[in-house]
């Protein structure tokens, strides 16, 4: 199935070319990077039965293979030490030449939104304008961005952004590329003096399960139900879209049937201009998330109504109604009781046309029926995006709107999932975004993900090593795998205790410690309380690069980690904590140690006094005369300041193994 998929796609492409040249996947284009000193695979399609020769300019060598009955061929090239630029020529009677090819270090960069976050786009890193311009100085860094795609079955065809293949690093190409990946690659390029190829395969808001193959997940008992459901998802995307549309329509009708704003025939009673029952409704000032305007923690349906006065000159003319993209999530929008538009997803621009026949001068009513399917809800596009417009004249729609909640989400089944586009079905991202890369020679991978699994830290202990093993098995070798630990985020810690984010961080640290050729970049000191996407991606890339430089490239004497818990010893009413990577222990701010908590056999946590003693820290509290356990930085946003002489932060840890908050949480989709 995999090979047939590739064959059909590339055969279609070949049919469109008059030359009939051999076809290569987007992994093999001008400007690409081959992994140095490797038997680097190359593959593609040619005319069935034709001999295919692949020649390289780095040693003037040629390898010969033969396309099979379906035109598939595959061979490998022995690459030299880093260098270039080179050419690679593929010939099956017609020649295809890849130009400006480099040989160097190739890294796969994957994860969720913090890996996806670009230099300048929906996210902006520190000094983003300067960083973009300086990117022009590094033409030997090459970028390949995998398009966001899903599939219920493994694919071999690859979809890419940034012009359809490898791009030379520049202010333009790096703008919307992964900032973490770029800063990591830049550091490797600057220190190892080699070309660097970066493959960005990331998607914000994703769990780890979609990035893992079905075969691997079958080994985990929690995944069986989700995998069985995936097996029923149609392979054909148009069929998935049709089934989703049918399910969503039925779901919306169910919501409407429970809503007093609709009659038994699902006609909108509360949208009518003559409806006066809203006189007793409360008001909220739009734009706003309704959770911040009186509907705390509310998910479900809400009616919004606003009266406007239309100029007489507008009568008989069509009018544009703009609500912007931030209508969260599903809306039906009415003008004087008639439906003028509906949209089924958050983030899509709402520009609705009110037909001329409906427009009269004087009083008019805009009514919105909005269904929030989770998270924030409401109408909160920028104020200048909320308006009525007729021939350049606008009426602003920001200000007080009357509102009435009706059907809470708990009263109905969860909103249907769009199987053709949701990235959070098990294995669908592995199938579409990782499997097509399998076999392409890489040095290693960096991974920045975990926020979505925040409630399942114990399960993540098993899923992260499972995914690492899965990817390595498919590539056929144990490449380095370096993990970014979740940064500090949300409200600052005030009391010691249990925390789910701390449990995910623990799972990430355990994988780095126990899975061969793995490493951990700790970010507990550079997060932002109010932004899950910290802007200092330069430091994220640097800390990842330190690990690679020490452990992959063998730089001697380079410290690549902050202090890592190694063990403890009870000394009377104190506990001594031992660390690796502990040269020059100190506090980041020069003040007393913060972030240590201590407990006795009652499992009650107390803030502790802590002092540095050589390569160890001694922890105690007058409230705990017989201590048994210590924790450090055990919170989503902890107060903590221990670091080593290289200013790398101590990795959060605990000495106990007491059951955490997420111990019984499992995947449910």
């Amino acid at each position: 199935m995999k090979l047939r998929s590739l064959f059909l796609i590339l055969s279609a492409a070949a049919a469109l070319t008059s030359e009939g040249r051999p076809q290569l996947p987007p992994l093999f284009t001008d400007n690409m990077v081959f992994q140095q000193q490797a038997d680097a695979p190359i593959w593609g399609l040619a005319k069935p039965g034709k001999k295919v020769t692949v020649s390289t300019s780095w040693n003037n060598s040629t390898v010969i293979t033969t396309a099979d009955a379906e035109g598939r061929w595959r061979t490998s090239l022995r690459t030299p030490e880093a260098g270039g630029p080179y050419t690679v020529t593929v010939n099956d009677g017609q020649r295809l030449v890849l130009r400006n090819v480099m040989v160097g270090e190739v890294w796969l960069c994957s994860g969720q939104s913090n890996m996806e976050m670009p230099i300048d786009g929906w996210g902006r890193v520190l000094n983003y304008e300067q960083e973009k311009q300086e990117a022009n100085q590094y033409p030997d860094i090459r970028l390949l961005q995998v398009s966001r795609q899903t599939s219920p079955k493994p694919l071999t065809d690859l979809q890419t952004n940034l012009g359809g293949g490898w791009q030379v690093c520049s202010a333009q190409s790096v703008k919307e590329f992964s900032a973490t990946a770029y800063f990591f690659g830049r550091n490797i390029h600057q220190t190892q003096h080699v070309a660097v190829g970066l493959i960005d395969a990331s998607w914000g808001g994703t769990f780890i399960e979609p990035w893992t193959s079905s075969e691997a997940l079958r080994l985990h008992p929690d995944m069986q139900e989700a995998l069985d459901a995936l097996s029923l998802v149609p392979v054909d995307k148009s069929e998935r879209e049709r089934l989703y549309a049918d399910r969503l329509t039925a779901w919306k009708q169910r919501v409407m049937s429970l809503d007093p704003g609709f009659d038994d025939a699902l006609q909108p009673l509360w949208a009518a201009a003559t409806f006066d029952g809203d006189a007793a409704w409360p008001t909220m000032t739009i734009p706003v998330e309704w959770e911040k305007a009186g509907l705390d923690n509310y998910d479900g349906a809400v009616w919004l109504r606003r009266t406007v006065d239309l100029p007489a000159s507008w009568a008989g003319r069509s009018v544009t109604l703009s609500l912007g993209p931030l209508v969260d999530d599903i809306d039906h929008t009415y003008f004087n009781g008639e439906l003028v538009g509906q949209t089924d997803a958050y983030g899509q621009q709402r520009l609705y046309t009110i037909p001329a026949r409906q427009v009269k001068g004087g009083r008019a009513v805009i009514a919105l029926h909005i269904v929030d399917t989770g998270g924030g809800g409401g109408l909160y596009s920028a104020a200048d995006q909320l308006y009525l417009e007729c021939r350049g004249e606008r009426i602003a729609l920001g200000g007080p709107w009357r509102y009435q909640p009706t059907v809470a989400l708990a009263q109905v089944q969860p909103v249907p999932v769009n199987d053709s586009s949701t990235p959070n079905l098990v294995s669908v991202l592995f199938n579409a975004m990782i499997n097509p890369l399998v076999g392409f020679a890489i040095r290693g991978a960096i991974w920045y993900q975990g926020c979505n699994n925040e409630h399942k830290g114990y399960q993540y202990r098993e899923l992260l090593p499972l995914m690492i093993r899965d990817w390595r098995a498919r590539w056929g070798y144990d490449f380095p795998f370096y993990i970014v630990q979740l940064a500090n985020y949300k409200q600052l810690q005030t009391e010691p205790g249990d925390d789910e984010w701390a449990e995910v961080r623990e799972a990430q640290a355990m994988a780095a410690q126990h899975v061969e050729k793995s490493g951990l970049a700790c970010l507990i000191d550079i997060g932002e309380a109010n932004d899950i996407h910290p802007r200092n991606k330069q430091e994220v890339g640097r800390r990842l690069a330190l690990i690679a430089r020490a452990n992959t490239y063998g730089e001697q004497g380079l410290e690549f980690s902050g202090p890592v818990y190694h063990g403890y010893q009870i000394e009377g009413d104190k506990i001594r904590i031992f660390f690796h990577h502990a040269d020059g222990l100190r506090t980041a701010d020069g003040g007393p140690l913060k972030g240590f908590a201590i407990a006795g056999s009652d499992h009650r946590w107390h803030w502790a006094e802590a002092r540095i003693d050589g390569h160890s820290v001694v922890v105690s509290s007058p409230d705990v005369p017989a201590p048994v356990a210590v924790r450090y930085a055990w919170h989503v946003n902890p107060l903590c300041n221990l670091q080593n002489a290289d200013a790398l932060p101590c990795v959060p840890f605990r000495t106990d193994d007491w059951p955490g908050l997420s111990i019984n949480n499992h995947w449910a989709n």
Side-chain angles (χ1 to χ4, degrees), residues 545-623:
L546 287 176
I547 307 170
R549 289 164 56 190
N551 295 339
T552 301
Y553 299 114
E555 284 193 43
Q556 297 299 309
L558 180 67
E559 182 57 272
F560 60 90
S561 172
V564 175
Y565 167 67
H566 175 54
Y568 74 97
Q569 177 176 289
I570 298 175
E571 300 175 352
D573 61 352
K574 300 176 177 60
I575 296 182
R576 183 180 296 272
I577 307 296
F578 302 100
F579 299 94
H580 293 305
H581 304 280
D583 285 345
L585 289 182
R586 64 187 189 184
T587 59
D589 54 8
L593 281 172
K594 302 174 185 175
F596 286 89
I598 195 166
S601 56
D602 60 359
H603 293 200
R604 295 178 59 188
W605 291 100
H606 301 266
W607 288 125
E609 299 173 1
R611 61 178 177 83
I612 296 169
D613 185 14
H615 288 172
S616 65
V617 171
V618 179
V619 186
S620 64
S621 170
D623 297 318

Side-chain angles (χ1 to χ4, degrees), residues 305-328:
R305 283 175 56 96
R306 168 74 181 263
T307 299
V308 294
D309 289 318
L310 301 185
S313 61
W314 287 21
R317 302 183 186 279
S318 64
V319 172
T320 297
L321 169 58
S322 172
L323 301 175
L326 303 185
V327 181
D328 199 349

Side-chain angles (χ1 to χ4, degrees), residues 145-289:
Q145 189 176 64
V146 179
S147 298
R148 302 199 310 183
Q149 300 286 330
T150 67
S151 173
K153 301 295 182 183
L155 303 179
T156 54
D157 56 294
L158 182 68
Q159 308 266 338
T160 61
N161 299 327
L162 297 178
W166 287 89
Q167 303 295 310
V168 174
C169 181
S170 67
Q172 182 60 35
S173 63
V174 83
K175 177 181 176 181
E176 296 187 2
F177 194 78
S178 164
T180 292
Y182 168 68
F183 291 127
F184 166 79
R186 185 178 71 179
N187 195 291
I188 298 300
H189 172 63
Q190 291 171 328
T191 58
Q192 307 307 304
H193 311 292
V194 295
V196 174
L198 300 169
I199 303 173
D200 173 18
S202 55
W203 192 327
T206 53
F207 293 82
I208 192 173
E209 292 87 342
W211 295 103
T212 310
S213 75
S214 296
E215 291 84 353
L217 290 179
R218 277 292 177 196
L219 302 174
H220 198 291
D222 290 352
M223 300 297 122
Q224 306 309 308
E225 183 177 347
L227 288 167
D228 290 344
L230 182 70
S231 68
L232 302 177
V233 175
V235 174
D236 182 72
K237 185 174 182 178
S238 62
E239 178 66 8
R240 300 201 302 270
E241 291 282 3
R242 185 190 67 78
L243 291 174
Y244 169 68
D246 291 345
R247 292 196 301 267
L248 183 62
T249 296
W251 185 85
K252 290 191 295 184
Q253 290 175 346
R254 174 59 177 163
V255 173
M256 291 178 179
S257 72
L258 297 173
D259 195 310
F262 295 90
D263 64 17
D264 290 343
L266 303 186
Q267 295 303 303
L269 301 173
W270 291 1
T274 56
F275 174 70
D276 60 4
D278 63 344
W281 292 5
T283 62
M284 67 171 61
T285 301
I286 300 295
V288 70
E289 291 185 51

Side-chain angles (χ1 to χ4, degrees), residues 320-632:
T320 297
L321 169 58
S322 172
L323 301 175
L326 303 185
V327 181
D328 199 349
D329 295 288
I330 299 170
D331 75 285
H332 287 74
T333 298
Y334 304 89
F335 181 83
N336 285 338
E338 294 192 44
L339 183 70
V340 294
Q342 58 180 310
T343 305
D344 292 334
Y346 163 86
Q348 297 183 11
Q349 192 68 243
R350 270 78 165 179
L351 278 176
Y352 300 143
T353 299
I354 302 170
R357 64 174 177 78
Q358 293 180 234
V359 181
K360 300 177 176 58
R363 180 180 181 274
V365 174
I366 302 168
L368 277 62
H369 184 256
I370 298 177
V371 182
D372 170 34
T373 61
L379 173 56
Y380 50 96
S381 302
D384 62 1
Q385 295 180 298
L386 306 175
Y387 58 83
L388 291 167
E389 183 175 68
C390 182
R391 293 196 170 187
E393 186 178 358
R394 286 189 178 184
I395 298 174
L397 296 179
W401 287 60
R402 297 191 181 277
Y403 72 94
Q404 184 63 45
T406 52
V407 182
L409 205 62
Q411 296 176 247
V412 293
Q413 293 291 322
V415 64
V417 173
N418 186 347
D419 294 339
S420 68
S421 62
T422 178
N424 278 324
L425 299 179
V426 292
S427 301
V428 295
L429 300 183
F430 173 86
N431 291 339
M433 297 176 68
I434 300 299
N435 195 66
L437 303 172
V438 169
F440 187 78
I442 61 174
R443 172 64 72 192
I446 57 174
W447 174 253
Y448 197 163
Q449 189 277 337
C451 302
N452 265 54
N453 291 80
E454 64 177 320
H455 304 303
K456 302 169 186 176
Y458 275 76
Q459 191 185 66
Y460 202 81
R461 295 181 182 185
E462 302 164 350
L463 293 181
L464 182 53
L466 181 66
M467 189 195 75
I468 296 170
R469 182 175 61 187
D470 181 32
W471 288 15
R472 288 174 171 174
R474 291 173 184 278
W475 258 267
Y477 56 97
D478 291 343
F479 52 76
F481 192 98
Y482 299 140
I483 302 156
V484 182
Q485 193 178 47
L486 295 182
N488 49 309
Y489 174 54
K490 298 185 181 180
Q491 185 174 351
L492 196 65
Q493 182 177 17
T494 57
E495 297 296 331
D498 292 313
D499 186 88
E500 288 186 326
W501 271 54
E503 292 170 18
V504 176
R505 291 192 190 108
E506 180 181 50
Q508 294 170 321
M510 292 171 71
Q513 179 181 358
H514 298 300
V515 177
E516 184 184 12
K517 295 184 180 179
S518 298
L520 184 78
C522 176
L523 306 186
I524 201 64
D525 59 333
I526 61 171
E528 300 178 26
N530 298 316
D531 194 343
I532 201 170
H533 305 113
R535 299 177 64 214
N536 189 3
K537 290 295 189 284
Q538 292 91 332
E539 183 64 10
V540 181
R542 187 185 79 89
R543 292 182 187 180
L544 283 165
L546 287 176
I547 307 170
R549 289 164 56 190
N551 295 339
T552 301
Y553 299 114
E555 284 193 43
Q556 297 299 309
L558 180 67
E559 182 57 272
F560 60 90
S561 172
V564 175
Y565 167 67
H566 175 54
Y568 74 97
Q569 177 176 289
I570 298 175
E571 300 175 352
D573 61 352
K574 300 176 177 60
I575 296 182
R576 183 180 296 272
I577 307 296
F578 302 100
F579 299 94
H580 293 305
H581 304 280
D583 285 345
L585 289 182
R586 64 187 189 184
T587 59
D589 54 8
L593 281 172
K594 302 174 185 175
F596 286 89
I598 195 166
S601 56
D602 60 359
H603 293 200
R604 295 178 59 188
W605 291 100
H606 301 266
W607 288 125
E609 299 173 1
R611 61 178 177 83
I612 296 169
D613 185 14
H615 288 172
S616 65
V617 171
V618 179
V619 186
S620 64
S621 170
D623 297 318
V624 186
V628 298
V630 167
R631 289 180 178 178
Y632 173 76

